[in-house]
Amino acid sequence: MEWFQEAKLGIFIHWGIYSVDGISESWAFFNNYINHENYMKQLNGFSASHYKPDEWVKLIKDSGAKYAVITTKHHDGVSLWDSKAEKATTIPKNSLAQKDVLTPFVSELKKSGLKTGLYYSLPDWSHPYYDINTRTKKRYEIKNDPQRWQNFITYYQTQLNELSTQYKPDLLWFDGDWEHTSDEWKAPETLKNLRKYNPNIIVNSRLNNHGDYETPEQGIPVVKPQNKYWELCYTMNDSWGFQPFDNNYKTPNMIVRTLADVISMGGNLLLDIGPKADGTLPEQQVEILKNLARWTSKNSDAIYGTRGGLPFENYKGKSAFSKDGKKIFFYLEEAKDFVKIYGLLSMPKSAKIVGTNQKINFTIEKNQNITFDLSNVKFDQDVTVVELDVEQILILKDINKDQPTFNEILENKNSKVAAYEIAEQLHSGKNIFDNSGLTIDGLDMKIQRTDKTNPETLQWISKHAEALFETEKGLPNGHFSGNSVLSKDKKTLYLFVEGIPTGSIALKGIKNEIARIRIVGEGSMISHRIYNKLYWSQIPGIIYIDVPKERLDKNMTVIAILLDKPIELYREKVEALENNL
């Protein structure tokens, strides 16, 4: 698993006849949105006339990906290669293209040095030997016709033998195992046979728990998966294959930040592209890949071979360790003056910005807490990476933040630091404003002042009083990269936004409906979009909140999110999807 663990980025390719009409791959007929006969007519439009596998591979390699996984056969049963398995439907024999489109792509992959991953659907809803045809139509019961089922097992294992001998894959990506038991699929025998061809073959977790790594789908995990090896398979818009009317693309900025999120949890991102029927790629997808290329080439040291980073208590952001544990990388999604890290035992040697090698000054405070000075940094348009080198393997100790008193905060000459310290203490559940003289609207405050009290800090407190007055402990790790608090009735979530974000604010794992979002202290209503929310799934989508730069508070912006009821958090394991209604 070593190469897989160090790869961090792979590209998924969903290409098949479904790209002709731009409809859901296989599921379109399975769910009876189109009948099977009309679905299969797309074979007559699949031309691959402008298919240039060398250009695909160049884009993939330049993006920073270390492997690619292509759909050799989806649930519709159409094989991209010239399969000789009994009653196989193939692109070379049955489509307008009349050519094997898998072989040239794999050849280019191997020439480039990238690892070869082959997606293979266990179900085949078109094959006469398979028992299931659509959601409402079944061909036969296995118990009544075991020989017919055995014929299907022979068919699919023949195809796997062909893929193994012809393409020598490094990884096999199974899908659809939920339709039958391990025994019915003969999964142990299948795996044993695959390893006969390649003892080091990597198999994903969708062979009825016989695989090597987890494959959470679409939803970025809130809590780090327990398996040492995992991979988030993820679309750029809402579709796997090409769909011309799906323009709900994440921005290139969101995709880079998603990669940083996955890296910080020790996983891989398998990012999907969906080519058109002629073999060309949609412009939006090319743009995303090119921006990934820009960011990964600049920050390669902080990507490949890294391991999951610091606990949330030590750093409320995204981070990762180098393989030897002597470097720690911090992934910053905003431009700001400083960053604080708590409880590092090892003695830091130096700090710099990855990609530019700009030296970063830092101070070591009491209790081994560290503050980075970022006041002169030129920030990346998406994610800026700070590298901290230490003398020995990094060890964490019990955190003692040595929190300043309320008076010390008020007298701090730097109002940005004061706002940050307030947010830190409120997030942890310590409300320093109890009995302080703060009022709920920030008017007529009875806060005691001295000649050292910073008036700018008082002004910030007055403006944001509703988020400070009698609010309670913030979100646990994984939901938001920063400090937060909840109102007493837990129906309003307040996010403390540092500096100038490079893109929309991201919030994960919120089950609630959102009534409205506004900027605290000045009344602006702001918009949000939710990505990766499937209407039939309990897994929440990712909330992206747009904060106009001209409305940001120079010390710290506070966002209020009004929920439909007391907050409910999703912290369960993100699984493979077994439905696509």
Side-chain angles (χ1 to χ4, degrees):
M1 298 296 294
E2 186 176 357
W3 74 260
F4 179 84
Q5 186 181 27
E6 302 201 348
K8 298 305 167 193
L9 178 62
I11 298 299
F12 215 174
I13 304 162
H14 275 68
W15 196 33
I17 64 169
Y18 37 85
S19 59
V20 173
D21 291 341
I23 57 179
S24 295
E25 58 291 334
S26 310
W27 294 95
F29 77 80
F30 185 81
N31 290 324
N32 299 303
Y33 296 167
I34 181 174
N35 68 38
H36 184 258
E37 181 180 343
N38 285 331
Y39 178 92
M40 296 304 283
K41 284 179 181 177
Q42 291 178 104
L43 283 162
N44 302 324
F46 188 85
S47 68
S49 56
H50 293 91
Y51 172 43
K52 296 177 180 176
D54 56 331
E55 292 183 5
W56 283 18
V57 171
K58 185 179 188 308
L59 265 176
I60 291 168
K61 185 164 186 174
D62 287 351
S63 77
K66 299 300 182 184
Y67 62 109
V69 179
I70 187 169
T71 50
T72 65
K73 176 183 80 73
H74 208 270
H75 314 323
D76 60 13
V78 180
S79 304
L80 297 187
W81 80 102
D82 188 17
S83 176
K84 302 298 193 294
E86 186 182 7
K87 300 183 185 296
T89 302
T90 73
I91 291 299
K93 287 192 178 71
N94 305 102
S95 78
L96 174 63
Q98 291 290 299
K99 61 184 177 184
D100 173 351
V101 293
L102 180 60
T103 300
F105 176 72
V106 174
S107 296
E108 290 295 332
L109 265 189
K110 292 190 181 298
K111 276 198 290 185
S112 74
L114 296 176
K115 296 289 187 180
T116 302
L118 303 181
Y119 167 107
Y120 184 83
S121 166
L122 290 162
D124 188 326
W125 294 329
S126 298
H127 201 280
Y129 292 155
Y130 194 63
D131 61 328
I132 297 169
N133 178 221
T134 71
R135 185 174 298 283
T136 57
K137 193 173 178 181
K138 209 171 182 188
R139 294 185 180 88
Y140 65 97
E141 296 291 338
I142 293 176
K143 63 182 179 181
N144 298 332
D145 200 344
Q147 185 54 52
R148 190 173 178 183
W149 179 251
Q150 181 53 50
N151 289 343
F152 177 75
I153 296 297
T154 301
Y155 159 79
Y156 102 73
Q157 290 187 342
T158 298
Q159 288 205 316
L160 289 177
N161 290 344
E162 290 176 345
L163 293 174
S164 296
T165 54
Q166 292 179 42
Y167 304 112
K168 298 177 175 53
D170 303 289
L171 183 153
L172 258 165
W173 213 101
F174 286 107
D175 200 11
D177 64 344
W178 63 82
E179 287 203 330
H180 291 288
T181 66
S182 173
D183 184 57
E184 286 172 337
W185 288 124
K186 300 199 182 317
E189 294 94 320
T190 295
L191 191 56
K192 183 179 179 182
N193 191 46
L194 289 172
R195 289 193 167 136
K196 185 175 69 180
Y197 294 103
N198 178 5
N200 294 318
I201 190 79
I202 293 174
V203 176
N204 72 337
S205 57
R206 304 188 187 192
L207 187 60
N208 285 89
N209 301 313
H210 286 82
D212 300 304
Y213 66 94
E214 288 183 39
T215 54
E217 185 169 338
Q218 292 292 47
I220 307 174
V222 174
V223 179
K224 180 180 177 179
Q226 291 186 339
N227 195 311
K228 183 179 179 181
Y229 309 110
W230 63 276
E231 168 194 79
L232 171 66
C233 45
Y234 200 67
T235 55
M236 293 180 175
N237 51 5
D238 293 327
S239 309
W240 294 103
F242 171 67
Q243 293 195 29
F245 307 118
D246 179 2
N247 291 309
N248 195 33
Y249 279 93
K250 290 109 180 161
T251 64
N253 172 273
M254 291 174 185
I255 297 295
V256 168
R257 289 164 56 202
T258 296
L259 175 58
D261 200 355
V262 171
I263 290 170
S264 73
M265 288 190 280
N268 289 3
L269 174 63
L270 185 64
L271 183 66
D272 183 68
I273 58 175
K276 299 177 183 180
D278 65 359
T280 59
L281 295 173
E283 288 179 13
Q284 299 98 318
Q285 298 182 15
V286 172
E287 180 188 359
I288 286 170
L289 290 178
K290 285 183 175 179
N291 189 55
L292 269 174
R294 180 199 68 80
W295 190 79
T296 56
S297 62
K298 178 181 177 182
N299 296 285
S300 59
D301 290 348
I303 300 171
Y304 310 108
T306 56
R307 304 292 185 262
L310 288 166
F312 191 60
E313 293 73 23
N314 297 86
Y315 171 60
K316 290 187 180 68
K318 299 166 186 175
S319 63
F321 294 109
S322 61
K323 190 175 180 180
D324 63 5
K326 294 185 179 182
K327 293 178 182 177
I328 183 164
F329 302 102
F330 301 95
Y331 307 93
L332 310 182
E333 301 177 310
E334 61 282 308
K336 53 188 177 182
D337 289 352
F338 62 90
V339 165
K340 289 203 171 196
I341 297 96
Y342 300 96
L344 299 189
L345 186 59
S346 299
M347 183 59 66
K349 290 196 300 183
S350 62
K352 67 177 183 179
I353 298 296
V354 177
T356 66
N357 291 324
Q358 180 184 352
K359 185 180 177 182
I360 299 298
N361 294 324
F362 58 88
T363 55
I364 303 172
E365 301 162 4
K366 288 184 282 186
N367 305 309
Q368 292 301 111
N369 301 330
I370 299 172
T371 300
F372 292 116
D373 178 5
L374 306 175
S375 55
N376 294 316
V377 167
K378 183 180 179 182
F379 288 86
D380 187 84
Q381 67 189 49
D382 298 314
V383 175
T384 304
V385 186
V386 176
E387 176 189 309
L388 179 65
D389 289 13
V390 293
E391 293 177 348
Q392 57 188 24
I393 291 179
L394 204 62
I395 301 171
L396 306 180
K397 66 173 186 175
D398 293 334
I399 302 166
N400 181 356
K401 292 191 176 179
D402 192 31
Q403 296 172 330
T405 65
F406 185 46
N407 282 337
E408 287 172 334
I409 289 173
L410 290 178
E411 293 177 357
N412 193 314
K413 293 179 181 179
N414 188 326
S415 51
K416 290 182 181 179
V417 173
Y420 173 85
E421 293 293 355
I422 289 169
E424 274 281 314
Q425 296 200 35
L426 293 179
H427 176 96
S428 68
K430 180 184 177 184
N431 197 316
I432 57 176
F433 291 99
D434 290 346
N435 304 311
S436 69
L438 177 67
T439 56
I440 192 167
D441 61 3
L443 299 176
D444 303 316
M445 298 190 302
K446 303 291 193 295
I447 294 174
Q448 291 189 349
R449 311 177 190 196
T450 70
D451 57 354
K452 294 181 180 178
T453 299
N454 186 335
E456 192 173 344
T457 299
L458 275 180
Q459 187 180 11
W460 185 87
I461 290 170
S462 174
K463 178 182 176 182
H464 300 96
E466 70 158 288
L468 316 177
F469 184 83
E470 295 186 349
T471 47
E472 300 180 354
K473 189 173 183 177
L475 296 170
N477 68 297
H479 296 279
F480 172 63
S481 293
N483 288 299
S484 60
V485 290
L486 283 163
S487 60
K488 192 174 263 187
D489 64 4
K490 294 184 169 49
K491 290 183 179 179
T492 303
L493 170 64
Y494 297 99
L495 305 179
F496 294 96
V497 179
E498 299 176 47
I500 304 173
T502 61
S504 304
I505 306 301
L507 187 59
K508 296 188 294 182
I510 308 297
K511 291 183 178 181
N512 304 66
E513 297 292 326
I514 294 175
R516 58 175 43 168
I517 303 178
R518 58 188 168 79
I519 301 175
V520 172
E522 52 103 289
S524 299
M525 298 296 171
I526 54 178
S527 62
H528 72 281
R529 296 184 73 178
I530 298 175
Y531 289 88
N532 299 94
K533 176 68 180 95
L534 303 170
Y535 74 91
W536 43 263
S537 171
Q538 294 301 307
I539 301 174
I542 304 165
I543 303 163
Y544 284 101
I545 304 165
D546 298 316
V547 185
K549 282 187 168 56
E550 64 269 20
R551 295 298 175 93
L552 293 170
D553 187 282
K554 67 177 182 178
N555 291 309
M556 181 179 286
T557 308
V558 185
I559 305 299
I561 302 171
L562 179 61
L563 307 171
D564 60 336
K565 57 187 175 182
I567 195 165
E568 294 182 7
L569 300 178
Y570 184 92
R571 297 182 64 78
E572 295 90 326
K573 180 179 177 182
V574 180
E575 301 276 8
L577 300 179
E578 300 182 4
N579 200 335
N580 193 8
L581 277 169

